[in-house]
Amino acid sequence: KSWSSLIFEVVASCSTVALGFFIDAGSAFESEDEGGYSHLLEHLLFRGTDSYESEEIDQLFDSMGAELNAGTSKESTSVFTRVLDDHVDEAFPVLAEMVWQPRVDDRSVEQEREIVLEELSMYEDDPQEQVFDLAAEALFAGGPLGRPVIGTRHSVSTADPAVLRDFHRRHYRQGRIVVAGAGAIQHDALVAHVQRAIEAAGEEGGPLPDRKRLSVGEAVCTSGVSVLGKPTEQTHLVITGEGLPLSDERRFALRVLDCIVGGTSSSRLFQEVREKRALAYSVFSFTSFLDHTGQVGVYVGTRPDNLAVTCQVIGDELAELRDGGVTGAELDRARENVKGRTVLAMESTSARMNRLGGALLAGLPLLSLDDVVERLDAVTTDELLDLARTTFAAPQLAAAAVGPEGEAIRAAAAPILERT
């Protein structure tokens, strides 16, 4: 059921409620000067409001045994909790005030700025984290999707409370926020909570606006391998290409293809790189869907002396995928895997809440579980072959790596980008 920007699902068989606020604010919607503002503002939501100090918020949710967290991505921010159904009346008003009426003053910004700078230091110590941002920068060259969600030391250090309050005013407003819930929800009570929260924030109701259309840059990077030199024990490498947008009906087939390439322990890359040749501990493929584009890719972490042969194996597997497609047995196994994981996820009220909120915020049709299964069952080997040839294929591939011996990394990875 939905009311303006409220959507929820009643799960009568459980005694918990997952509640989330989904905000149309992410790093892709920031100007270069605002880099990391969405992420910093997400942190500031926990710094208190006029009614609650930061410690009071922590104590309140701890006393309920509740989960309370938030996250920022390239195209959205979410703030969410999961509580026993008896505590919804206590939890919702606090969560709503955190989202709509946070305290963004000199003291809170100064404190949270230091925490984010520590987070940046932690991020810079993790080459596996860095390589994915480096890959996005290479793929979406010149576009906002290539910027890191966390921002930069300069943008975080110079963030001004007045500018952040204006950023909040522009992005955290009714019409750009979806409230989603799942679990043992009382319909009338939840609607009343949302109405009171909107009135308290001085917000007027209204329909969600059309999502912004973004420039992702001129094209994907085809100039070689982008390397960040670091004295690491492993070389961390990502081969990446442009994927599909959230609304593309082929997204169901791409999820199946991802399983076959490297998404499971029986996948081609896991078997060939790790199980048969012991070239890596971690190797996998990935896919992400964005508003009007997407990303696919392969990650591997391996010792420098194993990198050349590892790249050869990955290149061979991708070439075989593009040339020969997949077998019927692979399709059946991967399709059942995706179906099984989808159904298992629905056992969680948090997963149900995220599914509802994400779909409404992105303007997607809300599919039933039967609808999803039907689309997965319709995937064919020919469709997977076509996707392999348009996503995991040169010249639209880019690459990024973190590790020592930059020239050796470029030499090892470059042939993958040149094979058609």
Side-chain angles (χ1 to χ4, degrees), residues 192-219:
H193 274 307
V194 175
Q195 289 175 324
R196 283 194 294 269
I198 291 173
E199 291 168 3
E203 293 281 358
E204 296 181 358
L208 290 171
D210 291 337
R211 292 291 295 259
K212 292 174 289 298
R213 312 307 289 182
L214 303 175
S215 166
V216 297
E218 292 300 318

PDB file of all heavy atoms in Angstrom, residues 192-219:
ATOM      1  N   ALA A 192      -0.427   7.739  10.406  1.00  0.00           N
ATOM      2  CA  ALA A 192      -0.509   8.872  11.335  1.00  0.00           C
ATOM      3  C   ALA A 192       0.883   9.344  11.739  1.00  0.00           C
ATOM      4  O   ALA A 192       1.131  10.551  11.855  1.00  0.00           O
ATOM      5  CB  ALA A 192      -1.320   8.472  12.570  1.00  0.00           C
ATOM      6  N   HIS A 193       1.801   8.415  11.961  1.00  0.00           N
ATOM      7  CA  HIS A 193       3.170   8.779  12.311  1.00  0.00           C
ATOM      8  C   HIS A 193       3.804   9.626  11.200  1.00  0.00           C
ATOM      9  O   HIS A 193       4.457  10.646  11.472  1.00  0.00           O
ATOM     10  CB  HIS A 193       4.016   7.527  12.532  1.00  0.00           C
ATOM     11  CG  HIS A 193       3.932   6.972  13.920  1.00  0.00           C
ATOM     12  ND1 HIS A 193       4.161   7.729  15.040  1.00  0.00           N
ATOM     13  CD2 HIS A 193       3.653   5.712  14.356  1.00  0.00           C
ATOM     14  CE1 HIS A 193       4.028   6.969  16.125  1.00  0.00           C
ATOM     15  NE2 HIS A 193       3.720   5.750  15.735  1.00  0.00           N
ATOM     16  N   VAL A 194       3.629   9.198   9.954  1.00  0.00           N
ATOM     17  CA  VAL A 194       4.220   9.925   8.837  1.00  0.00           C
ATOM     18  C   VAL A 194       3.593  11.302   8.705  1.00  0.00           C
ATOM     19  O   VAL A 194       4.298  12.309   8.489  1.00  0.00           O
ATOM     20  CB  VAL A 194       4.075   9.125   7.532  1.00  0.00           C
ATOM     21  CG1 VAL A 194       4.574   9.942   6.341  1.00  0.00           C
ATOM     22  CG2 VAL A 194       4.856   7.817   7.607  1.00  0.00           C
ATOM     23  N   GLN A 195       2.292  11.384   8.840  1.00  0.00           N
ATOM     24  CA  GLN A 195       1.624  12.683   8.740  1.00  0.00           C
ATOM     25  C   GLN A 195       2.106  13.644   9.818  1.00  0.00           C
ATOM     26  O   GLN A 195       2.374  14.818   9.545  1.00  0.00           O
ATOM     27  CB  GLN A 195       0.105  12.485   8.842  1.00  0.00           C
ATOM     28  CG  GLN A 195      -0.505  11.824   7.602  1.00  0.00           C
ATOM     29  CD  GLN A 195      -1.973  11.517   7.769  1.00  0.00           C
ATOM     30  OE1 GLN A 195      -2.401  11.151   8.860  1.00  0.00           O
ATOM     31  NE2 GLN A 195      -2.726  11.651   6.697  1.00  0.00           N
ATOM     32  N   ARG A 196       2.240  13.147  11.045  1.00  0.00           N
ATOM     33  CA  ARG A 196       2.708  14.009  12.134  1.00  0.00           C
ATOM     34  C   ARG A 196       4.147  14.455  11.891  1.00  0.00           C
ATOM     35  O   ARG A 196       4.511  15.609  12.181  1.00  0.00           O
ATOM     36  CB  ARG A 196       2.606  13.267  13.469  1.00  0.00           C
ATOM     37  CG  ARG A 196       1.189  13.194  14.025  1.00  0.00           C
ATOM     38  CD  ARG A 196       1.188  12.773  15.472  1.00  0.00           C
ATOM     39  NE  ARG A 196       1.664  11.401  15.633  1.00  0.00           N
ATOM     40  CZ  ARG A 196       0.882  10.334  15.621  1.00  0.00           C
ATOM     41  NH1 ARG A 196      -0.434  10.469  15.448  1.00  0.00           N
ATOM     42  NH2 ARG A 196       1.385   9.127  15.782  1.00  0.00           N
ATOM     43  N   ALA A 197       4.978  13.559  11.381  1.00  0.00           N
ATOM     44  CA  ALA A 197       6.376  13.894  11.125  1.00  0.00           C
ATOM     45  C   ALA A 197       6.498  14.974  10.052  1.00  0.00           C
ATOM     46  O   ALA A 197       7.312  15.900  10.163  1.00  0.00           O
ATOM     47  CB  ALA A 197       7.150  12.650  10.703  1.00  0.00           C
ATOM     48  N   ILE A 198       5.677  14.867   9.009  1.00  0.00           N
ATOM     49  CA  ILE A 198       5.698  15.867   7.939  1.00  0.00           C
ATOM     50  C   ILE A 198       5.238  17.224   8.460  1.00  0.00           C
ATOM     51  O   ILE A 198       5.831  18.266   8.163  1.00  0.00           O
ATOM     52  CB  ILE A 198       4.817  15.394   6.765  1.00  0.00           C
ATOM     53  CG1 ILE A 198       5.460  14.184   6.071  1.00  0.00           C
ATOM     54  CG2 ILE A 198       4.604  16.524   5.762  1.00  0.00           C
ATOM     55  CD1 ILE A 198       4.580  13.558   5.017  1.00  0.00           C
ATOM     56  N   GLU A 199       4.187  17.215   9.271  1.00  0.00           N
ATOM     57  CA  GLU A 199       3.696  18.469   9.845  1.00  0.00           C
ATOM     58  C   GLU A 199       4.735  19.096  10.761  1.00  0.00           C
ATOM     59  O   GLU A 199       4.958  20.315  10.750  1.00  0.00           O
ATOM     60  CB  GLU A 199       2.394  18.206  10.601  1.00  0.00           C
ATOM     61  CG  GLU A 199       1.226  17.848   9.684  1.00  0.00           C
ATOM     62  CD  GLU A 199       0.034  17.305  10.454  1.00  0.00           C
ATOM     63  OE1 GLU A 199       0.109  17.273  11.709  1.00  0.00           O
ATOM     64  OE2 GLU A 199      -0.959  16.905   9.823  1.00  0.00           O
ATOM     65  N   ALA A 200       5.404  18.273  11.572  1.00  0.00           N
ATOM     66  CA  ALA A 200       6.416  18.790  12.500  1.00  0.00           C
ATOM     67  C   ALA A 200       7.592  19.403  11.757  1.00  0.00           C
ATOM     68  O   ALA A 200       8.205  20.377  12.223  1.00  0.00           O
ATOM     69  CB  ALA A 200       6.899  17.668  13.420  1.00  0.00           C
ATOM     70  N   ALA A 201       7.898  18.833  10.599  1.00  0.00           N
ATOM     71  CA  ALA A 201       9.020  19.337   9.812  1.00  0.00           C
ATOM     72  C   ALA A 201       8.618  20.509   8.924  1.00  0.00           C
ATOM     73  O   ALA A 201       9.475  21.100   8.257  1.00  0.00           O
ATOM     74  CB  ALA A 201       9.599  18.209   8.949  1.00  0.00           C
ATOM     75  N   GLY A 202       7.316  20.831   8.902  1.00  0.00           N
ATOM     76  CA  GLY A 202       6.846  21.928   8.064  1.00  0.00           C
ATOM     77  C   GLY A 202       6.867  21.579   6.588  1.00  0.00           C
ATOM     78  O   GLY A 202       6.997  22.467   5.739  1.00  0.00           O
ATOM     79  N   GLU A 203       6.736  20.293   6.280  1.00  0.00           N
ATOM     80  CA  GLU A 203       6.794  19.846   4.892  1.00  0.00           C
ATOM     81  C   GLU A 203       5.394  19.679   4.323  1.00  0.00           C
ATOM     82  O   GLU A 203       4.457  19.322   5.039  1.00  0.00           O
ATOM     83  CB  GLU A 203       7.532  18.505   4.791  1.00  0.00           C
ATOM     84  CG  GLU A 203       9.001  18.585   5.123  1.00  0.00           C
ATOM     85  CD  GLU A 203       9.813  19.134   3.969  1.00  0.00           C
ATOM     86  OE1 GLU A 203       9.221  19.409   2.920  1.00  0.00           O
ATOM     87  OE2 GLU A 203      11.028  19.300   4.141  1.00  0.00           O
ATOM     88  N   GLU A 204       5.264  19.925   3.049  1.00  0.00           N
ATOM     89  CA  GLU A 204       4.011  19.703   2.352  1.00  0.00           C
ATOM     90  C   GLU A 204       4.121  18.433   1.534  1.00  0.00           C
ATOM     91  O   GLU A 204       5.171  18.125   0.973  1.00  0.00           O
ATOM     92  CB  GLU A 204       3.685  20.873   1.427  1.00  0.00           C
ATOM     93  CG  GLU A 204       3.464  22.181   2.176  1.00  0.00           C
ATOM     94  CD  GLU A 204       3.114  23.301   1.233  1.00  0.00           C
ATOM     95  OE1 GLU A 204       3.094  23.049   0.004  1.00  0.00           O
ATOM     96  OE2 GLU A 204       2.854  24.413   1.708  1.00  0.00           O
ATOM     97  N   GLY A 205       3.019  17.689   1.479  1.00  0.00           N
ATOM     98  CA  GLY A 205       3.021  16.454   0.723  1.00  0.00           C
ATOM     99  C   GLY A 205       3.049  16.697  -0.769  1.00  0.00           C
ATOM    100  O   GLY A 205       2.851  17.805  -1.239  1.00  0.00           O
ATOM    101  N   GLY A 206       3.293  15.641  -1.505  1.00  0.00           N
ATOM    102  CA  GLY A 206       3.314  15.766  -2.954  1.00  0.00           C
ATOM    103  C   GLY A 206       3.909  14.527  -3.585  1.00  0.00           C
ATOM    104  O   GLY A 206       4.529  13.716  -2.906  1.00  0.00           O
ATOM    105  N   PRO A 207       3.726  14.384  -4.871  1.00  0.00           N
ATOM    106  CA  PRO A 207       4.258  13.206  -5.550  1.00  0.00           C
ATOM    107  C   PRO A 207       5.776  13.278  -5.672  1.00  0.00           C
ATOM    108  O   PRO A 207       6.370  14.360  -5.628  1.00  0.00           O
ATOM    109  CB  PRO A 207       3.595  13.265  -6.929  1.00  0.00           C
ATOM    110  CG  PRO A 207       3.351  14.726  -7.146  1.00  0.00           C
ATOM    111  CD  PRO A 207       3.019  15.282  -5.787  1.00  0.00           C
ATOM    112  N   LEU A 208       6.393  12.117  -5.837  1.00  0.00           N
ATOM    113  CA  LEU A 208       7.830  12.083  -6.069  1.00  0.00           C
ATOM    114  C   LEU A 208       8.141  12.667  -7.438  1.00  0.00           C
ATOM    115  O   LEU A 208       7.456  12.382  -8.412  1.00  0.00           O
ATOM    116  CB  LEU A 208       8.344  10.639  -6.019  1.00  0.00           C
ATOM    117  CG  LEU A 208       8.338   9.972  -4.641  1.00  0.00           C
ATOM    118  CD1 LEU A 208       8.662   8.493  -4.783  1.00  0.00           C
ATOM    119  CD2 LEU A 208       9.336  10.631  -3.726  1.00  0.00           C
ATOM    120  N   PRO A 209       9.158  13.497  -7.540  1.00  0.00           N
ATOM    121  CA  PRO A 209       9.523  14.061  -8.844  1.00  0.00           C
ATOM    122  C   PRO A 209      10.232  13.032  -9.694  1.00  0.00           C
ATOM    123  O   PRO A 209      10.661  11.979  -9.212  1.00  0.00           O
ATOM    124  CB  PRO A 209      10.481  15.193  -8.465  1.00  0.00           C
ATOM    125  CG  PRO A 209      11.125  14.706  -7.206  1.00  0.00           C
ATOM    126  CD  PRO A 209      10.054  13.948  -6.473  1.00  0.00           C
ATOM    127  N   ASP A 210      10.359  13.331 -10.973  1.00  0.00           N
ATOM    128  CA  ASP A 210      11.148  12.468 -11.839  1.00  0.00           C
ATOM    129  C   ASP A 210      12.593  12.452 -11.371  1.00  0.00           C
ATOM    130  O   ASP A 210      13.135  13.479 -10.949  1.00  0.00           O
ATOM    131  CB  ASP A 210      11.102  12.969 -13.293  1.00  0.00           C
ATOM    132  CG  ASP A 210       9.728  12.789 -13.893  1.00  0.00           C
ATOM    133  OD1 ASP A 210       8.977  11.936 -13.400  1.00  0.00           O
ATOM    134  OD2 ASP A 210       9.405  13.531 -14.836  1.00  0.00           O
ATOM    135  N   ARG A 211      13.225  11.275 -11.426  1.00  0.00           N
ATOM    136  CA  ARG A 211      14.623  11.199 -11.044  1.00  0.00           C
ATOM    137  C   ARG A 211      15.469  12.022 -12.005  1.00  0.00           C
ATOM    138  O   ARG A 211      15.179  12.142 -13.197  1.00  0.00           O
ATOM    139  CB  ARG A 211      15.093   9.735 -11.076  1.00  0.00           C
ATOM    140  CG  ARG A 211      14.473   8.860 -10.004  1.00  0.00           C
ATOM    141  CD  ARG A 211      14.974   9.253  -8.619  1.00  0.00           C
ATOM    142  NE  ARG A 211      16.400   9.011  -8.488  1.00  0.00           N
ATOM    143  CZ  ARG A 211      16.905   7.963  -7.871  1.00  0.00           C
ATOM    144  NH1 ARG A 211      16.117   7.056  -7.327  1.00  0.00           N
ATOM    145  NH2 ARG A 211      18.220   7.802  -7.776  1.00  0.00           N
ATOM    146  N   LYS A 212      16.530  12.602 -11.465  1.00  0.00           N
ATOM    147  CA  LYS A 212      17.444  13.393 -12.301  1.00  0.00           C
ATOM    148  C   LYS A 212      18.145  12.499 -13.306  1.00  0.00           C
ATOM    149  O   LYS A 212      18.424  11.337 -13.047  1.00  0.00           O
ATOM    150  CB  LYS A 212      18.485  14.078 -11.404  1.00  0.00           C
ATOM    151  CG  LYS A 212      17.892  15.164 -10.517  1.00  0.00           C
ATOM    152  CD  LYS A 212      18.909  15.701  -9.546  1.00  0.00           C
ATOM    153  CE  LYS A 212      19.233  14.704  -8.465  1.00  0.00           C
ATOM    154  NZ  LYS A 212      18.088  14.342  -7.641  1.00  0.00           N
ATOM    155  N   ARG A 213      18.398  13.023 -14.451  1.00  0.00           N
ATOM    156  CA  ARG A 213      19.185  12.307 -15.457  1.00  0.00           C
ATOM    157  C   ARG A 213      20.597  12.847 -15.409  1.00  0.00           C
ATOM    158  O   ARG A 213      20.815  14.049 -15.436  1.00  0.00           O
ATOM    159  CB  ARG A 213      18.595  12.485 -16.855  1.00  0.00           C
ATOM    160  CG  ARG A 213      17.100  12.256 -16.924  1.00  0.00           C
ATOM    161  CD  ARG A 213      16.662  10.937 -16.338  1.00  0.00           C
ATOM    162  NE  ARG A 213      17.065   9.822 -17.172  1.00  0.00           N
ATOM    163  CZ  ARG A 213      16.764   8.557 -16.896  1.00  0.00           C
ATOM    164  NH1 ARG A 213      16.119   8.251 -15.805  1.00  0.00           N
ATOM    165  NH2 ARG A 213      17.152   7.599 -17.715  1.00  0.00           N
ATOM    166  N   LEU A 214      21.553  11.968 -15.341  1.00  0.00           N
ATOM    167  CA  LEU A 214      22.931  12.384 -15.128  1.00  0.00           C
ATOM    168  C   LEU A 214      23.788  12.128 -16.347  1.00  0.00           C
ATOM    169  O   LEU A 214      23.566  11.198 -17.104  1.00  0.00           O
ATOM    170  CB  LEU A 214      23.543  11.600 -13.949  1.00  0.00           C
ATOM    171  CG  LEU A 214      22.798  11.707 -12.625  1.00  0.00           C
ATOM    172  CD1 LEU A 214      23.439  10.790 -11.610  1.00  0.00           C
ATOM    173  CD2 LEU A 214      22.833  13.140 -12.136  1.00  0.00           C
ATOM    174  N   SER A 215      24.805  12.953 -16.482  1.00  0.00           N
ATOM    175  CA  SER A 215      25.837  12.680 -17.474  1.00  0.00           C
ATOM    176  C   SER A 215      26.860  11.749 -16.849  1.00  0.00           C
ATOM    177  O   SER A 215      27.350  11.998 -15.759  1.00  0.00           O
ATOM    178  CB  SER A 215      26.526  13.981 -17.899  1.00  0.00           C
ATOM    179  OG  SER A 215      27.709  13.695 -18.608  1.00  0.00           O
ATOM    180  N   VAL A 216      27.169  10.657 -17.508  1.00  0.00           N
ATOM    181  CA  VAL A 216      28.153   9.723 -16.960  1.00  0.00           C
ATOM    182  C   VAL A 216      29.501   9.908 -17.627  1.00  0.00           C
ATOM    183  O   VAL A 216      30.381   9.077 -17.530  1.00  0.00           O
ATOM    184  CB  VAL A 216      27.687   8.254 -17.121  1.00  0.00           C
ATOM    185  CG1 VAL A 216      26.423   8.018 -16.341  1.00  0.00           C
ATOM    186  CG2 VAL A 216      27.463   7.909 -18.590  1.00  0.00           C
ATOM    187  N   GLY A 217      29.705  11.013 -18.311  1.00  0.00           N
ATOM    188  CA  GLY A 217      30.975  11.237 -19.001  1.00  0.00           C
ATOM    189  C   GLY A 217      30.819  10.932 -20.476  1.00  0.00           C
ATOM    190  O   GLY A 217      29.798  10.423 -20.946  1.00  0.00           O
ATOM    191  N   GLU A 218      31.840  11.223 -21.213  1.00  0.00           N
ATOM    192  CA  GLU A 218      31.773  11.039 -22.657  1.00  0.00           C
ATOM    193  C   GLU A 218      31.653   9.575 -23.046  1.00  0.00           C
ATOM    194  O   GLU A 218      30.887   9.200 -23.903  1.00  0.00           O
ATOM    195  CB  GLU A 218      33.033  11.635 -23.294  1.00  0.00           C
ATOM    196  CG  GLU A 218      33.100  13.156 -23.192  1.00  0.00           C
ATOM    197  CD  GLU A 218      31.922  13.820 -23.869  1.00  0.00           C
ATOM    198  OE1 GLU A 218      31.532  13.387 -24.965  1.00  0.00           O
ATOM    199  OE2 GLU A 218      31.363  14.771 -23.288  1.00  0.00           O
ATOM    200  N   ALA A 219      32.432   8.712 -22.425  1.00  0.00           N
ATOM    201  CA  ALA A 219      32.429   7.290 -22.760  1.00  0.00           C
ATOM    202  C   ALA A 219      33.222   6.567 -21.701  1.00  0.00           C
ATOM    203  O   ALA A 219      33.810   7.168 -20.810  1.00  0.00           O
ATOM    204  CB  ALA A 219      33.068   7.054 -24.147  1.00  0.00           C
TER     205      ALA A 219
END
